[in-house]
Amino acid sequence: MVPIPQLETLVVNATSGIHDGLTNFFEDLSSVKLAVAEAKAEQQDMRRRREEWLESILQPVSDKLGEELTLIGEDFDLIGSWDITRSTSDGLDPSSRFVFVDADTARIPAPDDPTKSIPVWYSVSPGSIVVSGKAYIAAALKDESFVLIPNNEPLSFMVATRADGEP
């Protein structure tokens, strides 16, 4: 075998069986390259659609708050007490308080008695927070508060600010 890179050629002095095997190999290799290129194109398209979807959810909230939103990172520090103000399409609801106890436990108002709290689990990942099984898009504001936007109700969101000036 002798490669001739300038001509993108490989000269092979072998039997016809070896030549047939090499032909099949290079055809398989070409189909693999095509499949990889198609997979990369599909991945880029999925990223583009995800970014468009996120923008369609973040922009109305950003406009309503009059401030640019930035998706949170996985290192966003939630530990502590947060005053939560709900915003719905018909106005603001009363505030409540969420207390993020540790890396996976929060205390939120009990559904049947808002004066009591119940422990629930939560999880943080880039751009999102899941609290007790409900997923939210999570974006930070300039003043270190953050916004929780339900995936299926973008005009009904919550703004969380540190309670009592906690650091």
Side-chain angles (χ1 to χ4, degrees), residues 12 52 56 114:
V12 179
E52 287 172 357
S56 75

Side-chain angles (χ1 to χ4, degrees), residues 17-55:
I18 297 293
H19 280 272
D20 290 342
L22 286 171
T23 298
N24 291 338
F25 171 75
F26 286 124
E27 285 172 358
D28 289 347
L29 191 58
S30 292
S31 66
V32 168
K33 285 182 181 179
L34 179 61
V36 168
E38 288 172 352
K40 283 183 180 179
E42 185 176 331
Q43 191 177 41
Q44 287 174 338
D45 186 51
M46 285 175 58
R47 271 194 212 110
R48 180 191 52 76
R49 284 183 291 171
R50 179 183 182 273
E51 288 171 9
E52 287 172 357
W53 174 77
L54 274 171
E55 183 65 23

